[in-house]
Amino acid sequence: MARSALLNVMVQAAFKAGKSLARDFGEVQNLQVSLKGPGDYVSQADRKAEKLIREELMKARPTYGFLGEESEEIIGTDGAHRWIVDPLDGTTNFLHGIPFFAISIALERNGEIVAGVVLNPGTDELFTAERGGGAFLNDRRLRVAARKNLSDAVIGCGIPHLGDVNHGKFLIELRHVMGEVAGVRRLGSASLDLAYVAAGRFDGFWERDLMPWDIAASVLLIREAGGYATDLDGSNAVLASGTVVAGNEYIHKALREVVQRPVPAR
């Protein structure tokens, strides 16, 4: 596959940070048995990865803005471009030595995502997309799964953290979805979960209360793989709403309807 110069910059930044995270992940696995635990170490790994990514991207395009999870936003001087970065999506997995976490890098131009990279440093799976150019896993072209019925579908989701005000709402949604589908999976990294939709591994996905860096790159992956990724109302403004429902044409529509199903009166 041919990559643009900008996408190559994003891939290089992802791999540089990925090598750092992979080294740190090995140390985290050793820290599982210590009394102190790996918490502080993971926080340092997260910040270090973002610093590496920011330096690589800003070196290549110093006038672009930068929005990252771990640092204050940098407003670009060109007024049109912004990098959107999650240096470690799946922090809880990383913290517990579970090799399912990702680096997510997106490029926004005039409010539209035009390029995206999601890298799992644990497996070296690299998901990339450019607007109008398709989505790829390493060098293989991606298409969303073709299943049309929820009863045949495996659906991914995110679960609100302990104490989240939407926990009760999620349990209602989960009960509705579980009654309609072949299976539900919660893997713990929204960017990778959505990349799995683009790759046809998951048939669909839904989650609320996400941040732009969680989903910016992966939403483009899904759309370039022939799928749909919107908020619950069907709007494409998922970065603003923080809610995403994804799948092919049929699963996306059916999943939206099930997630929004009214709670029966008692």
Side-chain angles (χ1 to χ4, degrees), residues 145-157 177-178 180-187 193 196-198 200-206 246-248 251-252 255:
R147 296 179 187 87
K148 295 183 177 181
N149 300 314
L150 280 180
S151 58
D152 299 321
V154 172
I155 303 297
C157 70
V177 172
M178 287 179 66
E180 301 287 344
V181 304
V184 177
R185 303 288 184 268
R186 198 276 192 175
L187 301 185
D193 289 336
Y196 275 28
V197 175
R201 296 172 177 175
F202 283 165
D203 298 286
F205 179 86
W206 95 98
N248 66 26
I251 299 298
H252 171 261
L255 184 58

Side-chain angles (χ1 to χ4, degrees), residues 114-213:
V114 296
V117 169
V118 176
L119 172 69
N120 182 345
T123 63
D124 278 336
E125 286 193 319
L126 175 70
F127 300 85
T128 58
E130 292 187 88
R131 190 169 65 178
F136 295 83
L137 169 52
N138 297 329
D139 292 323
R140 179 171 64 85
R141 185 73 178 257
L142 296 180
R143 293 295 296 177
V144 293
R147 296 179 187 87
K148 295 183 177 181
N149 300 314
L150 280 180
S151 58
D152 299 321
V154 172
I155 303 297
C157 70
I159 299 175
H161 293 294
L162 183 66
D164 191 291
V165 295
N166 284 319
H167 215 284
K169 180 184 292 184
F170 166 77
L171 293 176
I172 293 170
E173 293 173 353
L174 180 62
R175 184 167 70 244
H176 290 163
V177 172
M178 287 179 66
E180 301 287 344
V181 304
V184 177
R185 303 288 184 268
R186 198 276 192 175
L187 301 185
S189 169
S191 63
L192 269 182
D193 289 336
L194 288 164
Y196 275 28
V197 175
R201 296 172 177 175
F202 283 165
D203 298 286
F205 179 86
W206 95 98
E207 187 171 0
R208 296 178 182 270
D209 299 324
L210 292 162
M211 299 302 292
W213 47 75

Side-chain angles (χ1 to χ4, degrees), residues 31-88:
L31 288 170
Q32 295 301 322
V33 296
S34 73
L35 289 176
K36 182 180 179 183
D40 291 341
Y41 190 85
V42 170
S43 296
Q44 294 170 19
D46 202 348
R47 290 192 295 268
K48 181 169 62 175
E50 181 165 313
K51 183 173 184 290
L52 287 170
I53 294 167
R54 185 175 64 250
E55 288 174 349
E56 285 292 304
L57 297 179
M58 300 305 284
K59 180 173 65 177
R61 295 293 188 274
T63 63
Y64 287 12
F66 185 94
L67 175 65
E69 182 179 15
E70 299 301 321
S71 58
E72 288 189 14
E73 181 175 3
I74 298 171
I75 305 300
T77 57
D78 86 333
H81 295 87
R82 180 172 68 159
W83 304 110
I84 303 176
V85 173
D86 192 340
L88 177 53

